Amino acid sequence: MIDTITVHAPGRVNLIGDHTDYAGGLALPCAIDLGVTIRGHRTPEFIALTSDAEPGSIRLRLDELFAQREPTTSGAIDDTLPLWGRYVAAVAQECGIGSGFEGRVTSTLPSGAGLSSSAAFEIALALAFDFPGPPMELARLGQRAEHRAVGVPCGLLDQMSIVLGTAGHAMLIDFADLTHTPVTIPEDLDIVVVHSGQERQLVDSKYAERRASCELAAQRIGPLPGAALDDLSDLDPSLAKRARHVMSECARVRDAADALRRNDPISVGRLMTESHASLRDDFEVSTSALDDLVDRLVSIDGVFGARLTGAGFGGCVVAICERGAIPEPTALTGRGWILRPADGARIISD
Ligand code: GLA
């Protein structure tokens, strides 16, 4: 008899703290109740997957994959594979000698929305391929697979949120030492996510350029989360703006976590809306569609604050509000969700 295995990895929404992970800063994400599920059985020699979200099927031989395997190199995977197949190959190569898998992928996560559909896919695949390591190793594996599959030099925000999520909680992550502390989300608060209508494409985006600017600024003035505002005068104006975003965002994350702990949603919301302004004006990763949506959301009664979530350049806005303030999030742009903070990635049956 063949054992059927089901694995699930949630997406994540970042409540506050964007473009801080790769700079050693702070973020406050939570895993969400939308995600990627893979169901099937382990096989000795090959991977065969179909998906409800993608056309065609992916079939890869493990011996060929491992023969091609090189140390992680950005964008190292054969780009004649469809994009989702590149993730499959990259995760399998990162897992090393594991088992193959035959099954079907289903997803409730929109792609290109800033809710980490690719990281959820990576983590679900690694569980399906029987990756045996502890949670932080699983998160790092997902990050390396992202670099390998598409060459995006992402930080660890998405993969840590997905692996370490706890129902009912956000997680305060300090990327300087990778410590993470659960923070309860009050029951009477709704987390509403609304799609701006603009698909986000990180591969061709200015994500890598923003990261390089932060690294350059840190070489000049030291780690950005601990830098002083006075240090900014040593940087040229555009670098100073990028650095100022990281510095001010880390302070806002700390304040937002404190405000959540004392059940002060008004302050959390204000900090979120300030975060959006910083991502728009200093980090310059917003779009007019995202700005308009934030304005629309914060004008609704019972909404405490709103901001773009994730990398920016399109995708979604997250708002926090009184329970029921936005009963039909889909009514705003056609795509929206009321999300609950969920548990992290797991094997459901084995
Ligand atoms: C993407 C990356 C993350 C993080 C966010 C911005 O989601 O994958 O590592 O940098 O953008 O906060």
Side-chain angles (χ1 to χ4, degrees):
M1 202 188 93
I2 299 176
D3 282 338
T4 300
I5 296 163
T6 305
V7 298
H8 176 80
R12 66 101 186 93
V13 65
N14 194 16
L15 298 180
I16 189 163
D18 273 310
H19 292 281
T20 51
D21 60 346
Y22 51 73
L26 299 173
L28 190 66
C30 54
I32 56 177
D33 52 348
L34 300 176
V36 175
T37 303
I38 307 178
R39 186 171 164 76
H41 57 271
R42 299 212 164 107
T43 58
E45 286 163 2
F46 63 91
I47 297 166
L49 289 171
T50 57
S51 160
D52 72 343
E54 304 288 344
S57 60
I58 300 297
R59 196 175 174 92
L60 299 163
R61 288 182 55 98
L62 292 183
D63 53 356
E64 286 173 10
L65 270 180
F66 295 135
Q68 294 158 9
R69 179 168 174 252
E70 291 165 17
T72 302
T73 329
S74 281
I77 296 290
D78 173 5
D79 60 11
T80 59
L81 276 171
L83 186 60
W84 73 287
R86 278 152 71 181
Y87 284 104
V88 177
V91 173
Q93 290 189 341
E94 286 297 337
C95 283
I97 313 294
S99 49
F101 196 87
E102 181 165 22
R104 181 156 179 86
V105 182
T106 53
S107 178
T108 50
L109 263 178
S111 65
L115 299 177
S116 292
S117 59
S118 62
F121 189 36
E122 290 150 13
I123 300 295
L125 285 167
L127 291 177
F129 298 161
D130 207 13
F131 176 71
M136 272 310 296
E137 285 310 306
L138 181 59
R140 286 184 197 284
L141 182 145
Q143 181 192 32
R144 289 196 304 275
E146 183 81 28
H147 294 195
R148 190 185 272 277
V150 288
V152 175
C154 63
L156 268 169
L157 169 72
D158 308 344
Q159 292 82 2
M160 279 184 74
S161 319
I162 288 167
V163 166
L164 300 166
T166 315
H169 295 77
M171 197 187 326
L172 176 61
I173 307 178
D174 185 341
F175 292 95
D177 56 10
L178 300 181
T179 48
H180 40 92
T181 318
V183 181
T184 306
I185 307 250
E187 281 283 328
D188 53 358
L189 217 55
D190 274 350
I191 301 172
V192 173
V193 168
V194 182
H195 202 294
S196 67
Q198 258 178 337
E199 293 295 318
R200 195 213 53 184
Q201 231 341 326
L202 275 195
V203 183
D204 299 318
S205 78
K206 302 210 176 289
Y207 182 90
E209 195 183 297
R210 293 295 186 282
R211 179 172 180 155
S213 298
C214 290
E215 284 165 359
L216 189 58
Q219 277 165 24
R220 305 228 172 112
I221 64 171
L224 300 183
L229 279 175
D230 284 352
D231 298 338
L232 294 177
S233 54
D234 295 340
L235 300 174
D236 75 53
S238 90
L239 224 49
K241 279 178 24 169
R242 307 294 185 247
R244 187 170 59 197
H245 164 72
V246 175
M247 291 158 60
S248 63
E249 185 80 345
C250 290
R252 282 187 291 272
V253 172
R254 191 172 290 112
D255 291 349
D258 287 345
L260 257 190
R261 287 188 184 110
R262 57 171 196 271
N263 199 359
D264 172 5
I266 294 177
S267 298
V268 180
R270 177 182 44 78
L271 291 159
M272 288 172 70
T273 309
E274 286 172 12
S275 164
H276 183 79
S278 177
L279 287 159
R280 181 191 63 208
D281 301 336
D282 278 349
F283 218 66
E284 296 180 283
V285 292
S286 190
T287 63
S288 52
L290 289 165
D291 298 341
D292 291 349
L293 191 50
V294 167
D295 289 347
R296 244 175 110 185
L297 281 162
V298 295
S299 71
I300 297 172
D301 261 1
V303 173
F304 297 113
R307 61 187 287 281
L308 72 82
T309 184
F313 312 106
C316 287
V317 165
V318 59
I320 60 157
C321 50
E322 278 167 13
R323 164 112 345 143
I326 306 179
E328 295 287 346
T330 41
L332 284 153
T333 63
R335 281 204 287 171
W337 305 264
I338 299 174
L339 298 175
R340 303 306 305 162
D343 279 328
R346 60 207 174 269
I347 297 175
I348 296 174
S349 60
D350 204 342

